[in-house]
DNA sequence: ACTTTGTGAAACCATTTGGTTGTACGTTAG
DNA sequence: CTAACGTACAACCAAATGGTTTCACAAAGT
């Protein structure tokens, strides 16, 4: 079992904000597959090292990734836990929708209409 | 079956960007449960009508909601289709993670280690 | 006919975002 | 020891964001 403290609004803001840029989604994808140093990541994109580092920082603030120090390198790996939380959030939205549809169905099934 | 054209990066950007503000998530929640006019929505928040209208516009640009005109009102309702797409995206990320874990498991299960 | 209501859009402003370059500093390599 | 590498951070800038107020206009109510 993992820590199941509820996510605050600002935390959710940060998660979706972090996901709202394709470079960051790509970094997330890469680090889900395998741990990578910040330089390795930076080499993949057509922008400065500092820019990539900032993207990594945004993902880290959202706790979508974690870094661990190994010598002078910082190895980045994704945190699937938080991704799962975001997914669960969206799933709850869909549930609201289903409830609405069910309610409508029940109404239509009412005999005295 | 619904239209299954692939989402572009910018479309995905817009979806997550739209989800990255709690007011907009709240609007989405309300309109998932029941159709609401823009004024009805605006009445719920401590900001100007124009501000809420802008939030609605952001959600609409992301196609997370749709509007239909009834007289002078614009009735807003959520589009669960797009929410499902976002959820599916996150699910694929989790799948990448699982593949990584499986690969690691296989490696550890190797007899000649 | 006039007024009110619901919506949209423009202009404006402060803050945030996403990029840049430059600097500093610890770690590894020669 | 010195040079190169990996990272972090600050300062700066343009563009986007999130709010405001104001104006315009069509639809509904009186």
């Amino acid at each position: 079992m993992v820590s199941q403290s509820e996510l605050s609004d600002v935390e959710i803001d940060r998660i979706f904000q972090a996901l709202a840029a394709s470079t960051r989604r790509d970094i997330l994808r890469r680090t889900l597959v395998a741990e990578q140093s910040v330089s390795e990541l930076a080499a993949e994109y057509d922008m400065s090292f500092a820019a990539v580092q900032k993207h990594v920082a945004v993902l880290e603030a959202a706790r979508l990734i974690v870094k661990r120090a190994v010598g002078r390198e910082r190895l980045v790996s994704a945190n699937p836990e938080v991704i799962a939380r975001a997914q669960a959030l969206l799933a709850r939205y869909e549930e609201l929708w289903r409830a609405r549809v069910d309610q409508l169905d029940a109404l239509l099934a009412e005999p005295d209409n």
Side-chain angles (χ1 to χ4, degrees), chain A residues 36-40 49 53 67-76:
Chain A
Q36 312 231 359
S37 74
V38 181
S39 319
E40 279 174 324
F49 173 84
Q53 194 182 332
K67 284 193 290 194
R68 72 186 177 97
V70 172
R72 64 186 165 188
E73 301 188 55
R74 298 292 179 273
L75 297 186
V76 179

Side-chain angles (χ1 to χ4, degrees), chain A residues 31-112:
Chain A
T31 57
L32 270 166
V33 173
E35 224 179 17
Q36 312 231 359
S37 74
V38 181
S39 319
E40 279 174 324
L41 288 171
E44 301 287 343
Y45 307 99
D46 188 26
M47 64 183 80
S48 69
F49 173 84
V52 174
Q53 194 182 332
K54 278 201 195 176
H55 282 304
V56 169
V58 170
L59 287 164
E60 192 179 20
R63 293 192 303 149
L64 281 162
I65 60 164
V66 292
K67 284 193 290 194
R68 72 186 177 97
V70 172
R72 64 186 165 188
E73 301 188 55
R74 298 292 179 273
L75 297 186
V76 179
S77 65
N79 178 7
E81 170 81 15
V82 172
I83 302 176
R85 299 267 198 109
Q87 209 195 324
L89 247 163
L90 296 183
R92 283 214 282 136
Y93 286 157
E94 287 212 280
E95 193 145 336
L96 288 178
W97 170 261
R98 220 168 318 142
R100 172 189 183 174
V101 171
D102 288 352
Q103 193 180 344
L104 186 61
D105 282 354
L107 202 64
L108 291 176
E110 274 290 326
D112 37 340

